[in-house]
Amino acid sequence: MYISEYMTTNPITISSDAYLPEAREIMSTYKFRHLPVVDDAGVLLGIVTDRDLRSAYPSSVATGDQLAISQKQVEQTRLSEIMVTDYAFISPMDTLDDSLLLLDRIRVGALPVLDQNKKILGMFSIRDLTSAYKKLFGMSEKGSVLIAIEDEGRVNCMSSIIVLLEEQGIPVTRLIRIPGTEEGNGRIY
């Protein structure tokens, strides 16, 4: 359940000297929203997102001379001027749970995966996270079924369920126990 098993490796990167239209073209062509900005050694300098680019481009209500001036300015703007340099990151040995908590806390769609020298190894997105959990929970396996059983909190309940299912020849690959709340009993899936 380490990031290294689920991250997108060898991400497309860009130089901080590149101009905004180049970044926009790369992101449009490859259909992603987070572009790592690196130096010549592959060390992460910053991140540029589709939102950063949309904010930098002229408004859709701009017209005439105003639009032409703004467009020319955008075409002459380097990524170093708009990239985010205060970024969160994870390491390849962080867990899926680590990434879930970090993505939720800072509310971003992807995190760069860096080595100890801040060299970029990959990107880990919410899409990568959902794909990993889908695999872990067996949702992509043929014949997988999710059932819910009310959990009254009995001791050894999980082992009793496993024994019962094995006696009936029903293969089980995963069990998850969600504790009860003040409003009701928990569930076992």
Side-chain angles (χ1 to χ4, degrees), residues 7-67:
M7 69 183 186
T8 300
T9 57
N10 302 316
I12 295 171
T13 61
I14 195 165
S15 164
S16 63
D17 291 335
Y19 293 99
L20 300 188
E22 184 180 351
R24 188 179 200 187
E25 178 64 27
I26 289 170
M27 293 168 81
S28 174
T29 299
Y30 294 100
K31 310 275 190 260
F32 53 78
R33 299 180 314 200
H34 302 81
L35 183 58
V37 181
V38 299
D39 67 12
D40 292 337
V43 173
L44 187 67
L45 302 173
I47 299 282
V48 66
T49 68
D50 61 340
R51 181 179 291 175
D52 299 328
L53 291 174
R54 284 193 315 267
S55 295
Y57 271 79
S59 167
S60 60
V61 297
T63 59
D65 291 342
Q66 180 186 18
L67 178 61

Side-chain angles (χ1 to χ4, degrees), residues 3-181:
I3 294 301
S4 61
E5 299 170 48
Y6 301 99
M7 69 183 186
T8 300
T9 57
N10 302 316
I12 295 171
T13 61
I14 195 165
S15 164
S16 63
D17 291 335
Y19 293 99
L20 300 188
E22 184 180 351
R24 188 179 200 187
E25 178 64 27
I26 289 170
M27 293 168 81
S28 174
T29 299
Y30 294 100
K31 310 275 190 260
F32 53 78
R33 299 180 314 200
H34 302 81
L35 183 58
V37 181
V38 299
D39 67 12
D40 292 337
V43 173
L44 187 67
L45 302 173
I47 299 282
V48 66
T49 68
D50 61 340
R51 181 179 291 175
D52 299 328
L53 291 174
R54 284 193 315 267
S55 295
Y57 271 79
S59 167
S60 60
V61 297
T63 59
D65 291 342
Q66 180 186 18
L67 178 61
I69 291 168
S70 294
Q71 188 64 36
K72 185 168 179 75
Q73 187 176 9
V74 164
E75 290 172 3
Q76 296 174 349
T77 302
R78 295 188 188 273
L79 289 178
S80 59
E81 295 181 46
I82 70 157
M83 68 184 186
V84 174
T85 57
D86 182 25
Y87 51 82
F89 63 92
I90 53 179
S91 81
M93 295 311 292
D94 284 336
T95 66
L96 294 176
D97 291 349
D98 294 332
S99 71
L100 173 65
L101 294 171
L102 184 57
L103 287 164
D104 183 57
R105 187 177 77 230
I106 64 174
R107 299 183 187 271
V108 296
L111 295 165
V113 182
L114 306 180
D115 69 10
Q116 63 275 12
N117 298 315
K118 292 204 172 185
K119 186 173 180 182
I120 188 142
L121 302 173
M123 288 294 288
F124 188 78
S125 68
I126 289 176
R127 180 173 287 196
D128 295 326
L129 181 65
T130 56
S131 177
Y133 278 121
K134 186 172 104 175
K135 183 177 178 181
L136 286 172
F137 291 118
M139 303 307 271
S140 58
E141 295 173 15
K142 183 179 179 182
S144 65
V145 177
L146 178 67
I147 61 169
I149 302 168
E150 188 170 335
D151 181 7
E152 298 171 352
R154 289 180 288 158
V155 177
N156 300 327
C157 180
M158 299 281 278
S159 57
S160 298
I161 291 171
I162 291 291
V163 168
L164 177 65
L165 291 171
E166 285 180 344
E167 285 175 352
Q168 297 301 313
I170 301 170
V172 176
T173 57
R174 296 151 188 92
L175 273 183
I176 301 170
R177 188 175 203 176
I178 310 284
T181 63

